[in-house]
Amino acid sequence: MTVTPQHVREALVQLGLEGQDVEVHSSLRAFGHLAGGPLGVIEPLLDVCSTVLMPAFHSLGRCNPPPDDRPDLNGWDYDSHPVDETDLVPFDPAAFGVDSPITVQEMGIIPATLLKQPGACRSVHPSVSWVAKGPDAPFYTHDHPADDPNIIMRRLYERRGYALLLGVTLTRCTSVHLAEELAGARTLIRWSRGADGAVRRFRESGCSGGFDNLAPHVAEHLRSARIGPCQVRCYPLAEMVPAAVEALKANPQLVICGRQGTCRCKDVAAGGPRDVRC
């Protein structure tokens, strides 16, 4: 079966997303043969929805922590997992935008394609940048502080937006990180080298490998559809986020991924870094 843009439009309407703002997490492979490639998803999203947001995460400038700045409960084995800084490209917030270097493997082909569409906006953050296109794209992407990685998802939540998962599960849903924060967990501290050579802190969220454990706790808010072979999940954030917060408050260990050794999710479940300077 060839999936067409019309199939995508019909599913978006079925899910009640006409005129709505959405965060979109996606797998192009999940569609099988998709007419138009990434644009076969992007164009229907922009036609049906209002403002479309996708993660455009990057690793520009990411570097090792200074020897005297290594907080506990920070999801990092400082001795065993150094960052390879051999080909480090500094992060320059003054020059960062839609034309900055991108790694498709990091962000995925669909967000990478949206990033290159005329009128797209990109938030300036040292790690968890977002791309948005639509009437309120500037509202969502302006002023993304280095110490507030979840502010864009908070804006979408307050606007009663939606999380749309195209061929992926809750393990890719960034709004669950917002739920972790609202449940009391502190975000993790990381470091970036700027164009001036200085190393600065920023914050980002933890591991999402255990987020599917939340599925039973938010199931009553799930809307689902199929687009050819692609399983589509949709959650209204106004209902899903509070349900996730309640579950995480009751059991902070719920979304630990089960990976052996140091993992970000374990320290987030324990409350996050004890040192809250940033």
Side-chain angles (χ1 to χ4, degrees):
M1 173 186 179
T2 297
V3 176
T4 68
Q6 183 59 28
H7 292 135
V8 179
R9 287 187 185 89
E10 290 170 357
L12 296 175
V13 172
Q14 175 189 334
L15 292 166
L17 294 178
E18 288 182 279
Q20 302 297 326
D21 294 346
V22 294
E23 65 168 301
V24 180
H25 304 276
S26 56
S27 166
L28 184 63
R29 185 179 302 172
F31 288 93
H33 185 255
L34 176 64
L39 288 176
V41 176
I42 291 170
E43 290 175 351
L45 281 166
L46 295 173
D47 287 345
V48 174
C49 304
S50 183
T51 298
V52 175
L53 301 100
M54 297 185 188
F57 300 169
H58 69 94
S59 57
L60 295 176
R62 187 177 290 264
C63 65
N64 291 295
D68 61 348
D69 187 12
R70 299 188 170 192
D72 293 334
L73 292 179
N74 194 35
W76 193 330
D77 183 340
Y78 297 111
D79 295 325
S80 303
H81 294 91
V83 174
D84 182 359
E85 299 185 24
T86 305
D87 298 316
L88 185 147
V89 177
F91 174 67
D92 182 0
F96 185 79
V98 296
D99 295 322
S100 295
I102 63 172
T103 302
V104 172
Q105 289 78 9
E106 281 187 303
M107 71 176 68
I109 186 61
I110 295 176
T113 302
L114 180 64
L115 190 65
K116 297 306 178 184
Q117 299 310 299
C121 300
R122 189 178 190 181
S123 71
V124 180
H125 187 275
S127 171
V128 292
S129 169
W130 283 79
V131 57
K133 183 171 169 58
D136 288 328
F139 164 77
Y140 285 110
T141 57
H142 84 283
D143 187 24
H144 193 171
D147 62 352
D148 194 355
N150 293 320
I151 191 170
I152 291 180
M153 292 299 93
R154 192 178 305 113
R155 289 168 181 159
L156 184 63
Y157 168 57
E158 292 170 352
R159 287 278 186 103
R160 304 182 70 84
Y162 289 76
L164 180 63
L165 311 178
L166 300 172
V168 298
T169 68
L170 284 170
T171 60
R172 298 277 292 276
C173 184
T174 308
S175 283
V176 179
H177 288 307
L178 173 63
E180 289 182 306
E181 185 178 343
L182 294 176
R186 293 179 292 275
T187 50
L188 301 175
I189 298 167
R190 294 293 183 261
W191 294 264
S192 177
R193 189 178 303 279
D196 59 0
V199 173
R200 298 176 177 85
R201 282 182 167 196
F202 66 89
R203 286 188 176 263
E204 67 181 17
S205 296
C207 165
S208 60
F211 282 3
D212 280 346
N213 295 336
L214 276 170
H217 300 271
V218 298
E220 66 179 297
H221 310 298
L222 172 65
R223 305 177 186 180
S224 60
R226 293 198 73 86
I227 307 175
C230 179
Q231 177 65 49
V232 181
R233 299 169 176 87
C234 179
Y235 294 93
L237 297 183
E239 286 78 37
M240 186 270 274
V241 170
V245 169
E246 181 179 356
L248 291 167
K249 284 183 174 180
N251 180 11
Q253 309 292 313
L254 180 63
V255 293
I256 288 180
C257 71
R259 185 181 296 127
Q260 297 298 311
T262 301
C263 189
R264 294 172 295 166
C265 56
K266 297 175 184 177
D267 285 353
V268 169
R274 291 196 180 105
D275 177 357
V276 295
R277 289 187 301 118
C278 197

